[in-house]
Amino acid sequence: MTTLWIGIVLVALVSIGLKAAGPAVLGDRELPPKAAAVIAVLAPALLAALVVTDVAGAGWADADWRVGAGLGAAGLSYLLRAPALVAVAVGVVVAAGLRLL
């Protein structure tokens, strides 16, 4: 099992644990706005960190400019308010299309 998959499993377990502990600890109370804001951005930040470490890690020698173009297209489409799944699909299509050329 690679380090990336171990990281993904650990992040998933922590996420599940936090989601399970929330209702048990807070019950019917509302989260403070600052805590809700941190929780809302935690998962995307961790996912982005996993992607960056995977791309910039040992596998970076195998990557070429088409991978960067796909990541850029995905990021740009997400900035243009496309849903996350659509942004990922755009990145895949751009990278695959450039590899076919």
Side-chain angles (χ1 to χ4, degrees):
M1 190 180 272
T2 66
T3 307
L4 175 66
W5 283 108
I6 293 171
I8 290 171
V9 169
L10 288 175
V11 168
L13 290 175
V14 169
S15 178
I16 291 168
L18 286 174
K19 289 178 183 180
V25 172
L26 292 176
D28 293 336
R29 294 178 287 172
E30 286 282 322
L31 275 177
K34 287 184 180 180
V38 168
I39 291 171
V41 298
L42 188 61
L46 289 174
L47 180 61
L50 286 172
V51 168
V52 167
T53 56
D54 187 46
V55 169
W60 183 247
D62 298 334
D64 55 5
W65 63 273
R66 294 170 283 215
V67 173
L71 286 171
L76 181 63
S77 62
Y78 189 72
L79 285 175
L80 294 174
R81 303 205 184 270
L85 189 58
V86 172
V88 169
V90 167
V92 168
V93 167
V94 167
L98 288 173
R99 286 181 182 219
L100 286 174
L101 294 178

